[in-house]
Amino acid sequence: MVSRTQETPRGGRPARPLSTPLALDDAHGRTATDLRVSLTDRCNLRCTYCMPAEGLPWLPGDEMLTDDELITLIGVGVRHLGIRTVRLTGGEPLLRKNLEQIVSAIAEFEPRPQIALTTNGIGLARRAEALAAAGLDRINISLDTIDRDTFKRLTRRDRLADVLAGVRAARAAGLDPVKINSVLMRGINDHEAADLVRWATEEGVQLRFIEQMPLDAQHGWDRGEMITAAEIGERLAELGPLEALDGRGSAPAERFRLGDSGHRVGIIAAVTRPFCGACDRVRLTADGQIRNCLFARTESDLRAPLRAGADDQQLAELWAAAVASKLPGHGIDDPSFLQPDRPMSSIGG
Ligand code: SAM
Ligand code: SF4
């Protein structure tokens, strides 16, 4: 349970309607309704596809949004701009102090958004119940291997047992569904694809493989080295053929059953089968920047106007303008593609 001695961040302002109604529409017929909020750029793992062994220069404390500022901006999105889902991510969101209080403050907004968390699962065993009690609806836990040595090699930390305990605690706390995100790396964990599917079925969690994207801080991504969605299918052939279950709508994962084996799997083919045309996402970084795409090369600052006293109408107008200029696609396969300066851990995956 959330401790009564800890204060819920005040943040949210009185809910007055905007003088000019706004929505997060872009010029390509899409409307953003799904907000991804990075709560911190820090992390207690060092996944090789995400950050270097020594970590990164973390955001200075005074550049980070305070809890109140964060709740105020999320409130602008939910009350005025049509945001229906708020996903908390990072960096590692469980490292953010007051996470449970942040969740309960979001749960008080009207209309009440769906609240989701993407986490590496370390420390979740102790907190899943309090997070669910605070209003968390759904959780995605990242786990690329169930082999302890491979986990150590891939994340540079010996924490597999903590993550597995976190997965079980999430289920026990009633978070449903529990989704597992896995990135396959050639020669490291790609031989484990079928084992991961078997494990997920046994644990009662939904596994989704994500194609590795050019978002690592080291800029080491290599298109030829990436395990493609097609290759994932080949590695799962021992369980059965991939049979599509339904259209994915705006969801990035395509869902499949594996023949009559009883196994199911999702594949997020962000590179080889991009879903930009149906994208409904917008991102808020831990330092208060709106990004209209993971791969955007520009961002729009809401922190400075917020700190200068901008009201909800002004913040909503800035936010709507940021989304209006969203490009039609990420262009990873375009020869002119340039990786964004911010790595995934700082944007919020
Ligand atoms: N630390 C949390 C976690 O790992 O779930 C949240 C942040 S992490 C950046 C969010 C998701 O992005 C994770 O599922 C991670 O596997 C994925 N990710 C990180 N770098 C990636 C990359 N270069 N390509 C594809 N997915 C990546
Ligand atoms: Fe940390 Fe998540 Fe990046 Fe791994 S993927 S280093 S857990 S932020």
Side-chain angles (χ1 to χ4, degrees):
M1 293 295 292
V2 178
S3 155
R4 285 194 197 145
T5 57
Q6 289 170 308
E7 264 184 44
T8 298
R10 283 168 290 112
R13 303 168 174 187
R16 286 190 207 97
L18 297 186
S19 50
T20 324
L22 289 166
L24 295 175
D25 298 333
D26 70 26
H28 306 280
R30 299 165 297 188
T31 300
T33 55
D34 180 339
L35 173 63
R36 316 252 147 162
V37 183
S38 174
L39 296 181
T40 175
D41 57 338
R42 290 163 198 250
C43 192
N44 41 13
L45 294 183
R46 294 287 183 272
C47 304
T48 52
Y49 51 75
C50 185
M51 50 169 102
E54 65 278 15
L56 293 166
W58 311 123
L59 288 169
D62 59 346
E63 291 183 17
M64 300 267 294
L65 296 177
T66 64
D67 292 352
D68 277 4
E69 289 171 338
L70 193 70
I71 296 301
T72 297
L73 290 181
I74 295 172
V76 169
V78 171
R79 289 157 159 174
H80 302 307
L81 291 170
I83 293 297
R84 294 287 166 266
T85 303
V86 178
R87 176 170 294 280
L88 304 172
T89 176
E92 178 41 51
L94 291 176
L95 295 182
R96 174 97 188 197
K97 271 212 260 173
N98 300 334
L99 175 61
E100 289 77 358
Q101 287 70 38
I102 291 170
V103 169
S104 65
I106 298 170
E108 280 171 24
F109 285 132
E110 289 287 338
R112 157 73 153 91
Q114 280 281 300
I115 308 173
L117 181 73
T118 300
T119 171
N120 64 26
I122 293 176
L124 185 62
R126 296 191 299 281
R127 297 174 66 185
E129 213 171 297
L131 284 164
L136 186 69
D137 299 300
R138 289 186 275 130
I139 195 158
N140 288 23
I141 303 173
S142 303
L143 179 63
D144 308 313
T145 171
I146 44 169
D147 177 83
R148 182 174 170 185
D149 288 333
T150 309
F151 188 94
K152 267 202 283 194
R153 188 170 165 213
L154 212 152
T155 68
R156 303 185 178 105
R157 300 287 187 271
D158 188 9
R159 306 296 297 270
L160 175 63
D162 300 70
V163 181
L164 294 176
V167 171
R168 293 193 184 124
R171 289 209 66 217
L175 295 169
D176 189 33
V178 173
K179 294 186 182 172
I180 304 292
N181 293 351
S182 290
V183 177
L184 293 179
M185 304 275 288
R186 196 174 300 283
I188 298 178
N189 65 336
D190 55 327
H191 61 285
E192 269 192 67
D195 286 343
L196 278 163
V197 172
R198 286 189 197 96
W199 169 82
T201 306
E202 271 168 32
E203 293 285 335
V205 294
Q206 295 184 13
L207 179 69
R208 302 114 47 86
F209 290 109
I210 308 178
E211 283 181 343
Q212 190 189 351
M213 293 179 273
L215 286 168
D216 56 311
Q218 315 86 292
H219 290 226
W221 182 84
D222 176 344
R223 175 77 155 85
E225 278 300 297
M226 181 189 78
I227 303 286
T228 62
E231 285 179 276
I232 294 168
E234 288 163 20
R235 280 161 178 69
L236 297 180
E238 65 183 83
L239 299 176
L242 285 183
E243 292 165 7
L245 277 169
D246 46 30
R248 64 184 173 186
S250 64
E254 295 171 89
R255 295 174 60 244
F256 301 92
R257 53 182 226 148
L258 287 153
D260 294 326
S261 65
H263 298 297
R264 294 185 171 207
V265 71
I267 299 183
I268 302 182
V271 179
T272 61
R273 296 201 285 264
F275 35 87
C276 304
C279 178
D280 60 358
R281 269 138 229 222
V282 60
R283 295 181 148 80
L284 174 65
T285 64
D287 56 345
Q289 311 299 305
I290 292 291
R291 296 181 61 91
N292 57 30
C293 174
L294 267 177
F295 297 94
R297 296 196 47 79
T298 57
E299 39 194 44
S300 304
D301 184 19
L302 292 189
R303 187 190 66 215
L306 175 66
R307 289 186 179 172
D311 64 15
D312 283 12
Q313 176 81 39
Q314 290 164 322
L315 292 167
E317 282 171 10
L318 288 167
W319 191 334
V323 172
S325 64
K326 179 164 166 158
L327 294 175
H330 58 45
I332 296 175
D333 270 341
D334 189 306
S336 64
F337 174 77
L338 283 175
Q339 186 170 336
D341 296 330
R342 265 192 208 253
M344 177 78 123
S345 56
S346 168
I347 297 170

